[in-house]
Amino acid sequence: DADKERGIVEDFPNLLLPALYLCGSKLRRCVVYDQDHIANRIEHFVKRLLGPSTKELATIQETEDELSKCADNIDSIVIGFFRSDGYDDELEEYQEAAMSSLHVSRIQFHHVKNSTVVTYYQKQSWFLYPPAVVVQTCSKTTSEKENVRTSISLDDYYGSDKLPLQSWIQSVSLPLVGELLPSNYPTYEARGLPMLIGFFNLSQQNQKKRSTPDSITPNKKWSKERILR
């Protein structure tokens, strides 16, 4: 009861009610749930936070299966590639970056330690050398012929004057022009860039289309009052 427990509420600055927080030693900090207050989504969020921050992929087939899951409800699939020995610190830092991004449900995190799988994707020119992080963005329009991959070698990244790893992952996970939703707004906001937001009434689909730029013209059935960025 926020009215009665003023002392507790003061520990959560900028609190907007109703609010849901998950706190625990594993999380190192309280994580706010900022998505729709729907029972099954809250349950999914809690299970995701209490489980491992990244899912290990042991084979090439498992990796390909996860990459094939790019869909409208996923903005990007992130995979960290590590050798089986000698990269525990880098893996831990990657998992911390994943934990810091778990509030953005549309980014999926995985990691690979199997040397055969790592070597295979290195030979496919997915990254220069391990340890590395690869972000595959999921295409949303028919004009995008394929999903786009971006990679970074962690040895070159750590110690450099760059964004924190989780901020870099979020910055490359979304297209410059895309649909703005409550679930992916934190990802856009984390990029620290000015946002131009267009509001369109898409309920009258059969009428002649107005002069909307091709890059943000819907190419599928859209529900009423959706927001596009």
Side-chain angles (χ1 to χ4, degrees):
D1 188 332
D3 290 326
K4 293 182 179 179
E5 305 294 342
R6 297 285 183 176
I8 297 177
V9 173
E10 290 177 357
D11 293 333
F12 297 87
N14 304 318
L15 185 66
L16 297 176
L17 300 176
L20 295 175
Y21 281 82
L22 183 65
C23 305
S25 58
K26 174 182 180 295
L27 302 177
R28 299 188 179 182
R29 61 184 177 85
C30 293
V31 179
V32 63
Y33 174 82
D34 55 4
Q35 303 170 40
D36 295 336
H37 287 195
I38 300 175
N40 61 343
R41 294 188 182 182
I42 295 174
E43 182 180 8
H44 173 76
F45 179 81
V46 172
K47 287 181 177 179
R48 191 178 181 203
L49 284 173
L50 294 179
S53 58
T54 66
K55 176 183 177 182
E56 183 171 3
L57 305 175
T59 66
I60 295 173
Q61 187 59 53
E62 282 186 18
T63 306
E64 292 297 321
D65 289 343
E66 289 299 326
L67 292 170
S68 67
K69 294 179 181 179
C70 263
D72 288 340
N73 62 338
I74 298 177
D75 289 317
S76 67
I77 295 176
V78 186
I79 303 179
F81 291 88
F82 305 86
R83 297 293 187 188
S84 57
D85 297 321
Y87 291 102
D88 292 340
D89 291 341
E90 288 84 352
L91 176 58
E92 183 179 353
E93 291 184 18
Y94 169 70
Q95 290 175 328
E96 288 181 1
M99 181 63 70
S100 299
S101 301
L102 283 182
H103 67 288
V104 187
S105 62
R106 296 167 67 93
I107 302 179
Q108 305 294 317
F109 288 88
H110 311 278
H111 71 272
V112 175
K113 295 178 63 177
N114 184 295
S115 59
T116 301
V117 181
V118 173
T119 301
Y120 172 80
Y121 285 102
Q122 184 179 10
K123 290 182 177 179
Q124 297 295 317
S125 299
W126 280 39
F127 52 89
L128 292 177
Y129 46 82
V133 174
V134 176
V135 179
Q136 175 171 292
T137 56
C138 301
S139 63
K140 297 294 190 297
T141 67
T142 55
S143 61
E144 298 177 16
K145 296 181 180 180
E146 60 181 13
N147 301 317
V148 178
R149 286 190 299 271
T150 307
S151 66
I152 190 169
S153 294
L154 293 182
D155 285 344
D156 296 335
Y157 188 80
Y158 290 133
S160 60
D161 187 18
K162 295 182 179 179
L163 293 171
L165 182 58
Q166 63 267 22
S167 299
W168 177 83
I169 291 172
Q170 294 172 10
S171 71
V172 299
S173 291
L174 293 171
L176 288 177
V177 178
E179 182 185 3
L180 188 61
L181 299 167
S183 57
N184 67 11
Y185 181 83
T187 313
Y188 276 117
E189 187 179 36
R191 302 182 70 172
L193 298 174
M195 288 195 292
L196 175 64
I197 304 176
F199 295 84
F200 300 90
N201 182 357
L202 305 176
S203 60
Q204 299 176 347
Q205 299 180 29
N206 295 325
Q207 291 188 5
K208 184 178 179 180
K209 293 181 180 179
R210 298 184 178 180
S211 56
T212 304
D214 292 340
S215 59
I216 53 176
T217 299
N219 66 332
K220 61 180 183 178
K221 293 182 179 179
W222 297 83
S223 61
K224 185 178 180 181
E225 296 180 352
R226 282 203 173 182
I227 302 175
L228 300 179
R229 176 181 180 275

